[in-house]
């Protein structure tokens, strides 16, 4: 499985929290609502995919769910649990749990799940050999489970994918249809093309800061296209490349996943969707992982009559509200409230996708 570049690892760098993992006190968002307070009720459910039992949370809105509506939440890259966190790395933005809250406010039931090897799913299993195609199959199994729980069809289900999950949402939408697709700070181009841009930018910053010598940087830049071409061609990584590449996702353990995921071109998938399928695309000026310029090219591939584009200004990559503060990378590790721009944009879009 690819390293969590899209989930913030490369941009965030390394942060050591005093005393171990950070536990944040509830941050007041509005009277009676805080980060520590969920909306509705979670029930533990399981489903099977390729012989693995996946563990998930089914969120029922307060007062019961609206008929013929449901939402599937798909996590971003890396070892991500059902709440959008990577607890072992101290990465706890709670993005998916907060999305479930927003959906519950709208009366929409939702399902979110632990990825393989994370949380309660496949505890102790090595996810290294879990390719992207299998990850899509896992999401399809989750979709089928959600539809069974709610008595809905894929055409009545909204799929919200965050970061890398946006690519999976596009694949599900193309294969099965949907009531709506939410591409939230999504993978905007072919996977290896984005990693090329992200790693190149990282090398530049590391050189400027003195963390990487000019000689080492030149070697990484020379080896980067070699690694990308090899993974794209046959899913292998040549020996003798600079070890930094393996540290930032371009190692053999990620090669199969990236080879399979890179076959999908997000703008091409978006262009293939029916013009009647509503699509929400978000970007933010303070996202350190994907830029609005990159995401706008993905949005341009969606049929104009289907597109709702939310250009945010104060959200980080994990959709957390930064307020007046700059994005610094480690902010993605903290359980910030959802962006004050994103939450109403999502609510407005959901009201149009699921009227009444």
């Amino acid at each position: 499985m690819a390293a969590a570049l899209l989930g913030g690892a490369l941009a965030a760098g390394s942060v050591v929290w005093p005393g171990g993992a950070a536990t944040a006190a509830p941050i007041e968002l509005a009277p009676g609502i805080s980060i520590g307070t969920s909306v509705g009720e979670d029930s533990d459910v399981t489903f099977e995919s390729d012989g693995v039992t996946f563990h998930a949370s089914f969120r029922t809105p307060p007062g019961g769910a609206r008929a013929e509506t449901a939402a599937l939440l798909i996590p971003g890259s890396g070892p991500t649990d059902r709440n959008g966190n990577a607890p072992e790395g101290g990465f706890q933005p709670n993005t998916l749990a907060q999305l479930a809250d927003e959906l519950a406010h709208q009366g929409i039931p939702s399902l979110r799940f632990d990825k393989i090897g994370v949380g309660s799913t496949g505890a102790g299993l090595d996810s290294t050999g879990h390719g992207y195609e299998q990850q899509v199959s896992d999401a399809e199994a989750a979709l089928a489970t959600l539809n069974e729980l709610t008595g809905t069809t894929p055409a009545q289900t909204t799929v919200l994918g965050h970061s890398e999950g946006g690519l999976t949402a596009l694949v599900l939408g193309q294969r099965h249809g949907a009531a709506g697709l939410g591409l939230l700070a999504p993978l905007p181009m072919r996977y290896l093309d984005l990693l090329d841009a992200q790693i190149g930018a990282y090398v530049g910053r590391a050189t400027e800061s003195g963390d990487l010598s000019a000689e080492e940087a030149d070697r990484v830049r020379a080896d980067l296209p070699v690694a990308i071409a090899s993974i794209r061609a046959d899913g292998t990584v040549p020996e003798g490349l600079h070890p930094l590449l393996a540290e930032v996702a371009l190692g053999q353990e990620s090669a199969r996943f990236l080879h399979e995921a890179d076959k999908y071109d997000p703008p091409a998938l978006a262009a293939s969707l029916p013009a009647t399928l509503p699509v929400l695309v978000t970007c933010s000026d303070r996202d350190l992982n994907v830029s609005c310029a990159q995401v706008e090219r993905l949005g341009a591939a969606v049929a104009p009559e289907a597109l709702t584009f939310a250009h945010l200004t104060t959200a980080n990559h994990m959709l957390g509200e930064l307020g007046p503060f700059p994005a610094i990378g480690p902010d993605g590790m903290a359980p910030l409230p959802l962006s004050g721009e994103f939450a109403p944009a999502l609510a407005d879009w959901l009201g149009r996708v699921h009227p009444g």
Side-chain angles (χ1 to χ4, degrees):
M1 185 178 297
L5 294 186
L6 292 175
L10 183 57
S14 177
V15 175
V16 179
W17 295 96
T23 302
I27 299 173
E28 292 299 323
L29 306 180
I33 299 176
S34 73
I35 282 179
T37 303
S38 62
V39 180
E41 183 176 350
D42 276 338
S43 301
D44 290 333
V45 299
T46 61
F47 61 89
E48 299 293 318
S49 179
D50 194 34
V52 175
T53 299
F54 280 74
H55 292 254
S57 291
F58 176 62
R59 175 70 63 87
T60 303
R66 290 163 48 186
E68 299 183 342
T69 62
L72 176 64
L73 306 182
I74 302 180
S77 61
T80 311
D81 70 13
R82 70 189 74 182
N83 293 326
N85 301 332
E88 291 187 3
F91 190 74
Q92 300 184 14
N94 259 0
T95 304
L96 297 191
Q98 294 190 76
L99 285 175
D101 290 340
E102 294 300 319
L103 289 160
H105 273 305
Q106 302 294 318
I108 300 173
S110 63
L111 185 75
R112 61 193 196 277
F113 58 93
D114 295 335
K115 293 171 75 172
I116 190 167
V118 185
S120 300
T121 297
L125 288 181
D126 182 5
S127 63
T128 300
H130 204 68
Y132 180 72
E133 294 295 351
Q134 184 57 54
Q135 186 166 290
V136 172
S137 296
D138 300 340
E140 289 177 319
L143 176 63
T145 300
L146 173 62
N147 291 155
E148 182 177 353
L149 288 168
T150 57
T152 56
T153 66
Q156 296 169 321
T157 305
T158 289
V159 181
L160 300 178
H162 174 251
S163 195
E164 176 191 287
L167 174 61
T168 305
L170 280 167
V171 175
L172 293 191
Q174 185 193 55
R175 293 183 182 179
H176 305 286
L181 295 181
L183 312 180
L184 313 179
L187 177 73
M189 62 186 74
R190 290 179 68 181
Y191 216 132
L192 289 169
D193 289 341
L194 182 60
L195 290 181
D196 187 13
Q198 288 182 331
I199 294 170
Y202 170 73
V203 170
R205 292 194 300 270
T207 305
E208 290 177 3
S209 67
D211 293 331
L212 196 66
S213 70
E215 181 180 357
E216 292 289 295
D218 287 343
R219 184 181 164 198
V220 173
R221 292 190 182 102
D223 287 349
L224 178 57
V226 176
I228 287 176
S230 183
I231 293 172
R232 180 166 280 163
D234 59 14
T236 63
V237 179
E239 295 183 359
L241 299 183
H242 194 287
L244 176 65
L245 294 177
E247 295 174 12
V248 292
L250 295 183
Q252 191 56 53
E253 67 177 19
S254 300
R256 175 189 171 190
F257 181 93
L258 291 172
H259 175 69
E260 293 178 358
D262 185 69
K263 293 179 181 178
Y264 293 98
D265 180 18
L269 287 170
S272 73
L273 298 172
T276 54
L277 174 55
V279 179
L280 170 66
V281 180
T282 77
C283 75
S284 177
D285 292 338
R286 298 193 207 174
D287 188 331
L288 298 180
N289 295 65
V290 290
S291 70
C292 279
Q294 292 170 332
V295 177
E296 284 166 357
R297 288 192 286 272
L298 170 61
V302 178
E305 60 268 39
L307 176 66
T308 298
F309 195 97
H311 185 142
L312 313 176
T313 61
T314 60
N316 64 14
H317 183 66
M318 307 309 294
L319 305 176
E321 175 59 56
L322 292 175
F325 300 104
I328 57 173
D331 55 65
M333 304 180 75
L336 299 174
L338 276 182
S339 158
E341 297 170 315
F342 170 72
L346 176 65
D348 178 71
W349 181 74
L350 288 170
R352 287 181 278 119
V353 174
H354 298 284

